[in-house]
Amino acid sequence: MMNTLPLIATLIGSRETPETEQNALTLFAQHIQHNKGVVRSGGARGADQAAEKGITDARYKEIYLPYSKNPAHQDGVYVLGEMHRRYQDGARNIAQKFHPNWTALQNKGQAAEQLMTRNVFQILGMELRRPSDIVVMWAKGSRTGWGRRDSHNRICDVPGGTGLAVRLAYSLHIPVLHTSVPEHQLILQAYQQGNFEQFHTLLWNEGKWERSACEEAVEQLRQSVGLTVPAAAPSTNRWKRTPYRP
């Protein structure tokens, strides 16, 4: 039986996220920290700030900002323009692949492009090599409900700026959970209750996710944008202690 599960979790969403859903993100972030995991987010008002509110120790957060008006360095906070140029360029090229109209975005100015580029770091980390284990978010509903689904009922797209991060995560076989979807709430509750066997079971039954497929997809994506540095050390197999692993 697992005593802890230190997930790397991307917690993001709309600036108009309702208070109840913000509270859900804050609570989940608190449990990520309790399990010595890492919360990744983007510092925007609404969902992002709610997620960051749940982290009291900078060791357990990675907050990626497109730009900053505060010159003071803050632990756990990373500003796009201060990151290695190689990774800035790589993230921008990845963002371009997952944005529906990059030319129109560029016409809105550099700030809009930076906003979308930072979303890539929220999913892949500082060196664009360590994918998050899970994405938890809230986004406005679409005509098909809480985001577009695939044949396995997995969320593969949502409206708004959060959509780029969700599309990227989905393409990399990273589980995407919406705080307003009842089935997803059960998965989050299992983690928060420390029932990690049930967490894995529900997550597996919900979407047929495969971590090995994720790692392969990340490597292919890195190669497609010229990030061909030696591969990172294999990540811990977070499924190995449960019979429900992919």
Side-chain angles (χ1 to χ4, degrees):
M1 177 136 182
M2 289 179 281
N3 295 319
T4 185
L5 186 61
L7 296 177
I8 298 179
T10 298
L11 274 56
I12 53 176
S14 170
R15 287 172 169 79
E16 288 74 40
T17 299
E19 184 177 356
T20 55
E21 308 304 327
Q22 290 189 38
N23 292 339
L25 289 165
T26 300
L27 179 62
F28 191 69
Q30 290 171 343
H31 284 276
I32 292 293
Q33 177 176 263
H34 176 75
N35 283 283
K36 301 188 185 304
V38 173
V39 167
R40 291 172 174 166
S41 197
R45 65 179 174 83
D48 290 16
Q49 290 183 355
E52 189 176 359
K53 181 180 177 181
I55 304 300
T56 58
D57 188 328
R59 293 177 297 173
Y60 303 114
K61 71 178 182 180
E62 294 177 10
I63 306 301
Y64 295 99
L65 304 180
Y67 39 77
S68 177
K69 297 179 181 180
N70 182 3
H73 175 76
Q74 300 179 56
D75 291 339
V77 178
Y78 307 93
V79 180
L80 183 64
E82 298 175 0
M83 301 177 75
H84 194 289
R85 174 57 63 180
R86 178 179 181 80
Y87 301 127
Q88 288 188 54
D89 293 343
R92 186 177 299 106
N93 290 336
I94 292 172
Q96 187 171 353
K97 289 176 177 288
F98 290 91
H99 193 277
N101 192 337
W102 191 256
T103 300
L105 179 75
Q106 288 179 309
N107 290 337
K108 294 181 180 180
Q110 184 181 24
E113 185 176 335
Q114 290 173 314
L115 280 166
M116 289 298 167
T117 298
R118 70 88 186 270
N119 289 349
V120 176
F121 289 103
Q122 293 175 152
I123 301 298
L124 291 174
M126 286 179 285
E127 296 184 353
L128 307 177
R129 68 166 65 249
R130 177 58 178 93
S132 294
D133 299 303
I134 191 172
V135 174
V136 182
M137 58 86 196
W138 187 92
K140 293 181 179 179
S142 66
R143 288 177 294 179
T144 57
W146 296 107
R148 189 163 59 87
R149 310 291 186 97
D150 69 3
S151 60
H152 290 299
N153 202 34
R154 299 180 297 195
I155 293 178
C156 55
D157 194 12
V158 296
T162 305
L164 187 143
V166 169
R167 291 189 294 273
L168 172 59
Y170 173 80
S171 76
L172 299 176
H173 305 273
I174 298 172
V176 178
L177 304 183
H178 196 300
T179 60
S180 288
V181 175
E183 298 87 344
H184 295 178
Q185 291 172 351
L186 292 176
I187 299 172
L188 298 176
Q189 288 170 10
Y191 185 85
Q192 290 165 181
Q193 293 167 358
N195 193 337
F196 303 129
E197 298 287 342
Q198 184 185 31
F199 170 75
H200 284 314
T201 302
L202 292 171
L203 192 63
W204 171 240
N205 289 340
E206 174 68 19
K208 311 297 185 189
W209 302 102
E210 297 183 22
R211 189 64 185 178
S212 60
C214 173
E215 293 172 350
E216 292 173 6
V218 169
E219 186 58 29
Q220 291 175 6
L221 180 62
R222 286 173 55 82
Q223 291 178 6
S224 74
V225 296
L227 292 172
T228 54
V229 296
S235 62
T236 301
N237 183 353
R238 301 179 186 278
W239 310 95
K240 67 182 180 180
R241 298 185 66 181
T242 168
Y244 302 100
R245 67 173 181 263

